[in-house]
Amino acid sequence: MRAQAAFEFSILVGMGMVLMIILVILAANMTYDRLEKQRTAALLELGYTIQDELILATTVQPGYEHDFLLPETLGRFNYAILTNATSLRLSSGAKTLSFPIPPITGTLTKGLNTIRYDGTLSVSQ
Amino acid sequence: MRRAQSWSVDYAMSILLFTIAVGLIGGLVSEHLQDRDYTLLIDDAKRLSHALVSDGYPIDWADDVVRAGILYDDRLSWRKLDLLSRMSEDELANALPTAANYAFVLRNNGSVVGIGETCSIGNTPFPQSTNESLQRHNLAYYARSDGDQELASWASSRNATIYEDDELLLLLTSAHQYGMILFEDPHFENELNNTFTDSILREQLRRTAAYGPMLFITGNPGTPVLGINISGNGTNGTILSHDEPYFSLNESDEINFTTAYTISYLASEDILLGNFGGATRTQSIANGAALWQYEDAQVYYFSSPTGLYEGSSLKPLLQEGLDRALIRSTVTCMVEPELLDTPSLVKIERLAAGHGTIYELTLYAWRNP
């Protein structure tokens, strides 16, 4: 009888372990997908915000100047920013997104950036 | 035996409680995530709606489109709508700030308005059922009583509103109502007087162009207008390439403008030049044609009407081209986007004025499950 109880106990513990492992794997997958979605959403949000800032600067009178802050991290995600004359690239983890922007001189970096519009758009730190 | 039974009950209870706990937490987490998704979708739709109902960048879409706003000078631009309807999926993805599925329709008095051959525009356009029917732009025609009126009967048969002589200013102040305005041998300078100065004329023509109609001019405008200068020097040129949809302008054709009316001020305005009808002539009444963009208007210029119509073969070609340009849409649309089978859908309605009508822009954004 004691052997049978031990056997049943082992079966139950085994089933519990299997169930736990399955749940952990499912949770890990869901969390990973969720994190990647959040990462993409954060990159898109920042990219569109920068686009908006630059487009707004081209619609106002020459002489416009505006400071804005690019965060060091996107919430829990680290990221990198790279600009050339007409595009902006944001990358985080394995994800890289590219955004077209109005022609600018200078580059955007994390921290304080200053946009100036004098007929042409320039960015400095 | 009694102890074993007690263990089994304990186990059963604990598994039941565990399952309930997992179910509750899973449900709560899932609900939380769905709400967050929906919030993001709403933000996306708002941003997209704001971008669409704006002038965008660049305002005239002359270069690569960074932001595809469909207004020009705060009015609906049919030129931009037409360009947008022909954009590829990649171009759309670059030009509009959203990662969601979206489509928008234009309505006028509750009915969906066709744009070219399509009824909705977006990265996931709606299935559409259509009836073939031609919808034409509103047309205005201006000529002088002492000038050429070769196109008057054509314009009348297309229900044009006819303007003549000193009704020029009336036409220009009513220009927002029209999708196409045809000036035949207008000699604008003849209407200049103390109350209608050159600067007023220029500003009225600029505003007319900003309303976004297609402008056709034949003959002699008579004064520097519409972003170009008409000079008295002859010129030649060669068409390198073109995508002109209405008229036959052939690559490598030679242009020969009349010595009387010559288009200059070319490259900076992205002017397309070429023979009309493919003919090459060198005499003073040669056929010249030019196409350029001024404000939100596509401006088509054909040189001497005498030259154009001489020999009679070119007049039908011109009328055929005008007919093609006059068509706003070839379809009557029946879309029912409200039937979308998707768990989360955002709908935003905006209003935009254009060509004398108020249009309702309805934007739908969603994410597939």
Side-chain angles (χ1 to χ4, degrees):
Chain A
M1 188 59 72
R2 191 175 293 171
Q4 187 183 349
F7 178 71
E8 285 176 357
F9 178 75
S10 301
I11 293 290
L12 284 172
V13 168
M15 284 175 62
M17 291 289 284
V18 169
L19 187 63
M20 177 102 65
I21 288 168
I22 291 172
L23 282 176
V24 167
I25 290 172
L26 282 175
N29 279 339
M30 283 179 66
T31 306
Y32 178 78
D33 288 347
R34 195 67 215 163
L35 283 175
E36 287 307 302
K37 278 186 181 175
Q38 287 177 353
R39 188 194 301 275
T40 303
L43 287 175
L44 286 171
E45 180 70 32
L46 181 64
Y48 293 145
T49 303
I50 295 172
Q51 267 188 329
D52 286 343
E53 282 284 353
L54 296 174
I55 289 170
L56 174 68
T58 64
T59 62
V60 294
Q61 294 296 315
Y64 173 85
E65 186 174 315
H66 180 60
D67 295 334
F68 70 102
L69 196 66
L70 291 182
E72 292 297 323
T73 59
L74 294 173
R76 73 188 75 174
F77 308 110
N78 198 7
Y79 75 102
I81 183 168
L82 184 67
T83 50
N84 64 29
T86 56
S87 76
L88 160 74
R89 286 166 70 89
L90 296 175
S91 54
S92 176
K95 192 81 180 176
T96 299
L97 297 177
S98 184
F99 303 85
I101 56 174
I104 60 167
T105 56
T107 55
L108 291 161
T109 59
K110 293 179 182 178
L112 193 66
N113 292 265
T114 303
I115 300 178
R116 289 186 186 81
Y117 183 65
D118 292 308
T120 59
L121 205 56
S122 64
V123 179
S124 61
Q125 285 71 44
Chain B
M1 188 65 179
R2 201 174 290 166
R3 191 177 293 170
Q5 279 178 336
S6 166
W7 268 96
S8 298
V9 171
D10 285 351
Y11 266 117
M13 287 297 291
S14 61
I15 287 173
L16 181 64
L17 283 173
F18 179 72
T19 307
I20 290 171
V22 167
L24 278 174
I25 291 170
L28 285 170
V29 168
S30 167
E31 191 178 348
H32 171 73
L33 293 181
Q34 280 181 1
D35 279 345
R36 175 76 182 135
D37 273 351
Y38 192 56
T39 305
L40 286 174
L41 182 62
I42 292 172
D43 291 345
D44 246 14
K46 283 180 182 172
R47 187 191 293 116
L48 180 58
S49 152
H50 181 70
L52 269 174
V53 187
S54 74
D55 283 353
Y57 183 89
I59 290 173
D60 57 4
W61 292 20
D63 301 316
D64 288 342
V65 180
V66 173
R67 186 60 60 81
I70 58 173
L71 303 186
Y72 187 94
D73 204 14
D74 295 332
R75 304 180 72 85
L76 191 66
S77 166
W78 278 92
R79 182 180 65 83
K80 289 182 175 181
L81 279 171
D82 187 43
L83 290 171
L84 197 65
S85 72
R86 288 188 269 127
M87 275 189 180
S88 68
E89 200 169 316
D90 284 346
E91 289 172 322
L92 278 176
N94 274 331
L96 286 168
T98 183
N101 299 89
Y102 69 91
F104 71 86
V105 296
L106 282 180
R107 287 190 174 87
N108 184 220
N109 293 325
S111 300
V112 176
V113 175
I115 302 163
E117 296 178 355
T118 190
C119 302
S120 62
I121 297 177
N123 60 9
T124 316
F126 299 119
Q128 61 191 40
S129 54
T130 56
N131 286 335
E132 288 295 321
S133 83
L134 291 181
Q135 295 156 28
R136 290 194 171 95
H137 288 290
N138 294 335
L139 172 66
Y141 172 79
Y142 176 83
R144 297 195 58 76
S145 52
D146 57 354
D148 290 302
Q149 296 192 18
E150 295 284 341
L151 296 169
S153 59
W154 174 87
S156 293
S157 67
R158 269 58 177 179
N159 299 320
T161 306
I162 307 292
Y163 295 86
E164 199 174 70
D165 297 335
D166 59 359
E167 292 171 332
L168 177 61
L169 192 57
L170 176 63
L171 163 60
L172 297 181
T173 52
S174 309
H176 61 279
Q177 300 175 21
Y178 302 109
M180 182 194 285
I181 300 175
L182 173 58
F183 297 99
E184 182 163 13
D185 201 21
H187 281 274
F188 292 130
E189 82 283 2
N190 288 357
E191 290 306 313
L192 295 177
N193 54 43
N194 290 335
T195 57
F196 191 170
T197 63
D198 184 71
S199 60
I200 291 176
L201 172 63
R202 286 169 187 264
E203 175 57 16
Q204 286 295 341
L205 283 166
R206 189 199 65 74
R207 290 183 58 152
T208 295
Y211 292 139
M214 280 174 284
L215 297 175
F216 290 85
I217 307 174
T218 68
N220 188 358
T223 188
V225 291
L226 297 164
I228 60 161
N229 293 314
I230 310 292
S231 73
N233 301 317
T235 186
N236 290 331
T238 301
I239 299 174
L240 299 178
S241 65
H242 71 86
D243 56 0
E244 159 51 35
Y246 309 126
F247 297 96
S248 300
L249 300 173
N250 299 315
E251 197 165 322
S252 80
D253 272 352
E254 186 181 330
I255 63 158
N256 290 279
F257 282 105
T258 120
T259 53
Y261 317 120
T262 301
I263 303 286
S264 57
Y265 187 55
L266 308 178
S268 63
E269 293 299 317
D270 193 25
I271 291 176
L272 176 70
L273 298 168
N275 284 6
F276 179 63
T280 300
R281 302 183 186 182
T282 54
Q283 64 270 36
S284 62
I285 55 168
N287 305 295
L291 162 64
W292 68 97
Q293 187 180 319
Y294 179 50
E295 296 284 350
D296 195 40
Q298 289 290 105
V299 187
Y300 292 80
Y301 171 76
F302 302 98
S303 60
S304 164
T306 311
L308 274 177
Y309 308 139
E310 198 172 69
S312 75
S313 62
L314 295 176
K315 184 175 173 181
L317 280 175
L318 177 59
Q319 290 177 340
E320 284 172 23
L322 289 171
D323 268 329
R324 279 192 288 271
L326 191 57
I327 294 169
R328 189 186 69 193
S329 173
T330 56
V331 294
T332 303
C333 298
M334 288 164 283
V335 294
E336 295 181 336
E338 283 83 357
L339 299 178
L340 266 173
D341 183 19
T342 177
S344 51
L345 171 71
V346 178
K347 173 182 172 183
I348 295 179
E349 292 183 320
R350 305 286 296 269
L351 299 178
H355 293 178
T357 305
I358 299 292
Y359 292 95
E360 304 138 34
L361 184 150
T362 312
L363 169 71
Y364 301 84
W366 68 98
R367 285 199 174 86
N368 289 329

